Amino acid sequence: MTAELIGTASLLVVVIGSGIQAATLSADTGVALVANSLASAIGLGLIITLFGPLSGAHLNPVVTLTAWWARRSGGEGLDVREALAYAGAQTAGAIGGAVLAETMFGRTPGTFSTQVRDGGHLLIGEIVATAGLVLVIQGLGRIGRSRLIPAAVAAYIAAAIWFTSSGSFANPAGTVGRAFSDSFTGIAPQSLPGFVAAQLVGGVLGLALATLLYGRGGGAGSGGDAQVPVAGAEPTVVEVPVADIPRTGPSFEALV
């Protein structure tokens, strides 16, 4: 839980801090968005790489939802209590990270955002952004390429910030945290329900697409029932019967 709290706080410091810095250095919104998206993507990739071995580096209740669903479907993942604890730690970390970023730049911490983000087109953007994120994580996991997830997620978010109408928040905890920053990257509290609901819908859609494309698990195109790795999770260990291991070489005794 500590890793999820610190990891999510770090992510919000990167996202909000780079947004404040970008807006301060350039009055051109496009230039500010380039700087913010690059910093956010690089920071996210590093955070996932660093905290992945500790907690899976979900940093996002929607990603935690996929871990709970994996266990509910008979695979490895989180139970309900663990998932709720993860989500609580992520949300607390996101708020803390937002307050820290505001304080670091000499702004009044805890000020709610006044940037209203409403309209059906923005909610569609959040559904698309979150579904794509889940599909990237689940797709790579199901074809046995989990090691690529940190770089792939970072690249996807960098792109989605640009190709979605909403700016790709794609994270309920991060969205709540960004309500505590009246800055370039903030979101007004009244816009939270719609965004969070859209993200949850996108998460379910992403899971459905992953199952449709890759089956419930297994390698690419296998459609098998192997376990589904979650972002940053330890790789699945396949047990091989001792009888199938060649009894040759000096290391055999160490293997059995």
Side-chain angles (χ1 to χ4, degrees), residues 17-40:
S18 63
I20 294 172
Q21 185 78 292
T24 300
L25 296 176
S26 176
D28 188 316
T29 304
V31 172
L33 189 58
V34 168
N36 177 240
S37 60
L38 287 177
S40 298

Side-chain angles (χ1 to χ4, degrees), residues 27-215:
D28 188 316
T29 304
V31 172
L33 189 58
V34 168
N36 177 240
S37 60
L38 287 177
S40 298
I42 294 170
L44 177 58
L46 291 173
I47 291 168
I48 294 174
T49 300
L50 182 63
F51 290 97
L54 301 178
S55 66
H58 295 186
L59 315 176
N60 184 336
V62 170
V63 177
T64 296
L65 175 65
T66 67
W68 167 77
W69 183 258
R71 178 158 179 165
R72 188 175 183 277
S73 301
E76 295 182 0
L78 304 176
D79 61 28
V80 173
R81 292 180 62 183
E82 291 171 329
L84 290 175
Y86 263 52
Q90 291 155 1
T91 303
I95 295 172
V99 171
L100 175 58
E102 291 282 301
T103 303
M104 185 168 59
F105 281 90
R107 297 159 61 91
T108 303
T111 301
F112 287 120
S113 174
T114 57
Q115 188 167 179
V116 177
R117 300 176 187 261
D118 56 16
H121 65 293
L122 296 183
L123 300 184
I124 293 173
E126 274 302 282
I127 292 173
V128 170
T130 311
L133 174 63
V134 171
L135 182 58
V136 167
I137 295 171
Q138 290 290 310
L140 288 173
R142 295 181 190 213
I143 62 176
R145 295 184 179 178
S146 296
R147 71 185 68 179
L148 299 178
I149 287 176
V153 168
Y156 173 79
I157 290 298
I161 287 174
W162 283 90
F163 75 72
T164 62
S165 57
S166 63
S168 185
F169 284 42
N171 182 337
T175 303
V176 171
R178 287 162 74 161
F180 287 79
S181 174
D182 192 15
S183 66
F184 177 74
T185 57
I187 178 172
Q190 60 263 40
S191 300
L192 291 179
F195 263 59
V196 171
Q199 291 156 1
L200 294 176
V201 170
V204 173
L205 178 60
L207 276 174
L209 287 172
T211 301
L212 175 65
L213 294 171
Y214 301 104

